[in-house]
Amino acid sequence: VEAILFAMGESVELGQIAKAIQQDKPTTEKLLHNLMDKYKDEGRGIQIIELPEVHLPDNPSRAQIDAALKKEADAVRQKLPKNAWLCIFTPEGKLLSSEQLAEKLDQVRLGGKSDLVFLMGSSFGIDSSLKAQGDFRLSISPMTFPHHLCRVMVLEQLYRAESIQAGAKYHK
């Protein structure tokens, strides 16, 4: 799946992934969720919280988008642990290597933060007030990827960061 997505160089819809791996959409979505669950279930201290999507019409107005982003931001704020370090995934964020991410997370923990939150917004982005609330802005890539794959990529990088900090050779 990843090879297909990286070769495309643009956003790939779930239907395209399903077609490429010769599965139906529900099966493909389940496979991608299984990849996410793998990281969550292996006792790595990673917790995934998915909030309900705010559904918009096919061609939403700017006002509808802004209202949905505000509603999402309010829901996120309700779930944030008090005094958590908040990393916002955004295209204008900083690009880091796996080693640099490991170093950044180590610095955050040494700074006294035990709750680290990584936030990925909707396809319309993240409310500007919530972005401003973040402690760090991180970019996955300058390319566009479907959210399902981004979640897996983020989990993989968090696992790699932990492996690097532990001195394991997994990250190579």
Side-chain angles (χ1 to χ4, degrees), residues 82-102:
K82 191 174 186 165
N83 299 317
W85 180 79
L86 178 59
C87 178
I88 306 284
F89 285 101
T90 181
E92 67 270 12
K94 187 169 183 170
L95 289 168
L96 298 178
S97 68
S98 296
E99 290 82 1
Q100 290 170 321
L101 178 61

Side-chain angles (χ1 to χ4, degrees), residues 69 72 76 88-90 118-127 130 147 150-151:
L69 292 177
E72 288 173 352
V76 167
I88 306 284
F89 285 101
T90 181
F118 298 86
L119 180 64
M120 189 177 306
S122 71
S123 59
F124 292 104
I126 295 174
D127 182 74
L130 188 56
H147 275 72
C150 288
R151 290 177 195 143

Side-chain angles (χ1 to χ4, degrees), residues 18 40 67 86 98 103 115 140 160 172:
K40 184 174 71 172
L86 178 59
S98 296
E103 185 178 323
D115 289 317
I140 296 171
R160 283 180 187 260
K172 295 285 179 185

Side-chain angles (χ1 to χ4, degrees), residues 53-139:
E53 290 184 39
V54 176
H55 294 285
L56 291 168
D58 286 341
N59 293 309
S61 68
R62 184 74 244 170
Q64 289 172 313
I65 292 169
D66 290 343
L69 292 177
K70 183 181 180 333
K71 186 175 180 179
E72 288 173 352
D74 292 342
V76 167
R77 286 187 182 99
Q78 289 178 7
K79 295 282 187 177
L80 285 176
K82 191 174 186 165
N83 299 317
W85 180 79
L86 178 59
C87 178
I88 306 284
F89 285 101
T90 181
E92 67 270 12
K94 187 169 183 170
L95 289 168
L96 298 178
S97 68
S98 296
E99 290 82 1
Q100 290 170 321
L101 178 61
E103 185 178 323
K104 179 69 177 174
L105 298 181
D106 195 42
Q107 290 170 357
V108 169
R109 287 188 182 113
L110 289 174
K113 297 287 185 175
S114 59
D115 289 317
L116 284 64
V117 175
F118 298 86
L119 180 64
M120 189 177 306
S122 71
S123 59
F124 292 104
I126 295 174
D127 182 74
S128 60
S129 69
L130 188 56
K131 265 190 192 180
Q133 186 179 336
D135 297 296
F136 189 71
R137 293 181 185 181
L138 183 61
S139 175

